[in-house]
Amino acid sequence: MIQKPKGTLDILPEEALLWQYAEGIMRETAEKYGFFETRFPTFESSALFRRGVGSTTDIVQKEMFTMDDRDGNELCLRPEGTACVVRSLIENGLHNEPMPLRLYYITNFFRYEKPQAGRSREFYQFGVEMFGAPTANADATVISIADTVLRKIGISNTLNINSIGCPECRPKYRQALVEYFSAHEEELCPTCRERLKTNPLRILDCKSPICSAIAAECPKTVDYLCEDCETHFTTLKSSLDAMGIEYTVNPKIVRGLDYYVRTVFEFISDDIGAQSTVCGGGRYDGLVEELDGPALCGIGFGLGLTRLVLAMKANAEKGKIVLPEKKTPKLYVAPMGEKAAQYAVALVHKLRLAGIIADCDIVGRSLKAQMKYADKIGAQYALVIGDSELEVGTAQLKNLRDGEKMDIGLADAEKTIIEL
Ligand code: ATP
Ligand code: MG
């Protein structure tokens, strides 16, 4: 038996309903904020992510699904969306559009990770990217999109924010970190010992308990901000206050990607286990230039649907939210005989055209089996039709919920059902 590749997901109909529901709220919310959907290739040049995500990140060092095409180009299944959107923006000249440019996507990404609950090799994100808006209120706006989506779905969460400074103030902070961690070098995990040389900020992101314990006492980015970064962060906090969005300043949030500056944030769900970060994002002012585009600032986030759906299920189990259920047919037509079967298939066709969920037998079941099936699919009404009903031109409509019966004319059955 062939099985799905390790770390991929089968999303079956019942669960897909939850995904559709969440995706609907995401699209609706993004539109309210003036964001439009953008789509980009499933695979890109590996070089895009090496440059656009950063060669010292987990994604580039360990998690890329790379492949060579027949012309010898190194391609990679997209591990994240921001670099893809920026590449597309530059290639299509979107920087000439009126600013701010507001784009969103809901799509799948691929990372070669150790699969566990809330962590898969193919996963899905709702991502938003906003370009050309440098103010703290732009940051507050982007954060409020994720907040709105989580609030509408009913996921309780904690918003963590931090500022990691800019190229002007970060060197000083980096120096302080190197000094602090060098004193603990022997205790750090081998990866973090390497990070100490290449990207000490990344040590704050390490999941090893020993490294996190050491990092708990380390210098804080917010104590090293330059005046502009300080003002930006203060304004962000007061804008969030004004918007009624609660947050915690968490100096440990530095985000996994190289290109972030100033604002970084994460939404942590209170309802799922270890993989509890449902959404992560931040400001990436230098990225467009880094990828050979014009000087254009940006900010965005990625909200993981896999973890979001886990949180939705956990919340539903605790009775905190009600999840959407399968829509059921208004009518099931149970025909007996060939003529009746043709009447039935034509009637449900017309009802479906009119926007009504209707069903009829196309399996060739006995009447008894048909009624059992109608019950199973949760049909509200059943209409039994045989040769004699066709002759007389009336048939009995049964309300399967309360057992009530009524005769209806077959000639205008469609109208009757619609109006019911
Ligand atoms: P983590 O620290 O959990 O590995 P990350 O920093 O790598 O997360 P981002 O690149 O910021 O994650 O992606 C944003 C969101 O996408 C995450 O908060 C999470 O909800 C989701 N996500 C990332 N990687 C995976 C994965 N392998 N499986 C499922 N969801 C994921
Ligand atoms: Mg990761």
Side-chain angles (χ1 to χ4, degrees):
M1 196 181 72
I2 298 172
Q3 295 184 321
K4 63 179 169 7
K6 188 171 167 184
T8 58
L9 309 165
D10 286 323
I11 299 158
L12 302 179
E14 212 157 298
E15 187 167 318
L17 277 179
L18 309 186
W19 289 68
Q20 280 178 3
Y21 168 71
E23 286 165 11
I25 289 175
M26 288 162 183
R27 290 184 192 281
E28 219 174 77
T29 307
E31 275 166 25
K32 297 246 156 62
Y33 278 83
F35 281 68
F36 289 97
E37 187 184 1
T38 189
R39 300 189 184 199
F40 40 83
T42 308
F43 52 88
E44 299 263 7
S45 291
S46 300
L48 172 64
F49 303 107
R50 269 193 225 108
R51 267 173 68 193
V53 177
S55 53
T56 64
T57 60
D58 281 356
I59 291 183
V60 170
Q61 284 182 338
K62 301 188 283 204
E63 299 171 359
M64 293 213 296
F65 270 94
T66 53
M67 58 198 164
D68 291 325
D69 72 7
R70 291 175 193 202
D71 300 322
N73 303 306
E74 195 192 327
L75 302 173
C76 168
L77 293 176
R78 56 184 176 210
E80 61 101 47
T82 308
C84 305
V85 170
V86 171
R87 197 264 318 131
S88 161
L89 175 159
I90 298 168
E91 197 167 329
N92 296 286
L94 298 187
H95 45 272
N96 298 317
E97 301 273 312
M99 293 294 148
L101 177 67
R102 287 166 276 188
L103 305 169
Y104 84 90
Y105 47 86
I106 301 176
T107 197
N108 52 347
F109 295 99
F110 308 85
R111 293 184 196 173
Y112 208 97
E113 307 206 57
K114 201 167 140 234
Q116 49 195 288
R119 190 179 293 286
S120 44
R121 289 184 175 176
E122 181 181 22
F123 63 97
Y124 295 76
Q125 274 185 4
F126 163 52
V128 314
E129 315 288 353
M130 178 154 80
F131 298 91
T135 67
N137 281 337
D139 305 15
T141 301
V142 165
I143 289 172
S144 72
I145 299 175
D147 179 75
T148 302
V149 166
L150 294 173
R151 213 181 275 223
K152 280 193 177 167
I153 296 175
I155 303 299
S156 46
N157 62 77
T158 310
L159 165 62
N160 285 281
I161 61 169
N162 191 22
S163 174
I164 56 170
C166 65
E168 197 188 312
C169 48
R170 200 159 330 139
K172 226 172 55 190
Y173 177 64
R174 191 181 190 278
Q175 189 51 38
L177 272 189
V178 171
E179 276 165 27
Y180 174 84
F181 284 116
S182 295
H184 298 274
E185 192 171 351
E186 300 300 302
E187 302 152 68
L188 294 173
C189 75
T191 322
C192 282
R193 252 175 271 155
E194 197 51 42
R195 284 169 174 154
L196 191 51
K197 293 184 211 119
T198 56
N199 194 342
L201 228 75
R202 188 64 23 78
I203 302 175
L204 274 67
D205 227 15
C206 183
K207 276 148 196 138
S208 122
I210 298 170
C211 296
S212 346
I214 298 171
E217 305 292 323
C218 79
K220 296 177 179 141
T221 49
V222 285
D223 295 332
Y224 289 80
L225 299 180
C226 63
E227 211 181 310
D228 286 351
C229 287
E230 180 75 50
T231 308
H232 190 95
F233 196 47
T234 308
T235 312
L236 169 64
K237 287 184 285 187
S238 58
S239 290
L240 290 175
D241 289 337
M243 292 162 103
I245 298 173
E246 282 175 31
Y247 59 85
T248 307
V249 176
N250 181 347
K252 273 202 73 185
I253 304 274
V254 292
R255 308 287 307 129
L257 315 183
D258 272 355
Y259 49 64
Y260 286 111
V261 294
R262 291 191 171 165
T263 309
V264 289
F265 58 93
E266 289 187 359
F267 286 84
I268 320 274
S269 161
D270 306 335
D271 299 291
I272 49 178
Q275 315 308 327
S276 56
T277 309
V278 274
C279 175
R283 179 166 276 286
Y284 47 84
D285 289 351
L287 180 63
V288 183
E289 265 179 301
E290 173 62 34
L291 292 171
D292 300 327
L296 186 63
C297 63
I299 176 163
F301 65 73
L303 194 158
L305 275 136
T306 332
R307 290 181 199 173
L308 177 71
V309 170
L310 284 177
M312 284 166 70
K313 286 181 182 165
N315 274 272
E317 255 169 44
K318 290 179 195 156
K320 287 197 216 161
I321 55 170
V322 179
L323 297 178
E325 287 179 12
K326 264 187 203 159
K327 285 187 185 148
T328 52
K330 186 171 186 184
L331 177 72
Y332 181 82
V333 188
M336 288 176 298
E338 251 169 63
K339 261 196 195 149
Q342 201 161 69
Y343 172 86
V345 83
L347 175 60
V348 297
H349 171 63
K350 283 181 225 157
L351 286 170
R352 288 162 176 165
L353 278 178
I356 288 188
I357 307 177
D359 216 342
C360 72
D361 178 68
I362 46 171
V363 176
R365 289 192 172 100
S366 71
L367 183 62
K368 197 174 152 205
Q370 286 194 54
M371 295 312 290
K372 238 186 184 168
Y373 178 74
D375 207 43
K376 222 179 237 173
I377 60 172
Q380 191 180 353
Y381 295 96
L383 186 67
V384 179
I385 298 167
D387 287 342
S388 60
E389 278 82 6
L390 286 178
E391 229 161 79
V392 187
T394 61
Q396 205 174 54
L397 184 73
K398 187 176 172 188
N399 186 331
L400 297 176
R401 309 259 160 96
D402 60 16
E404 215 167 282
K405 293 170 184 164
M406 65 188 229
D407 284 333
I408 65 164
L410 291 184
D412 56 0
E414 183 194 341
K415 192 166 163 272
T416 311
I417 304 293
I418 291 171
E419 284 168 4
L420 265 178

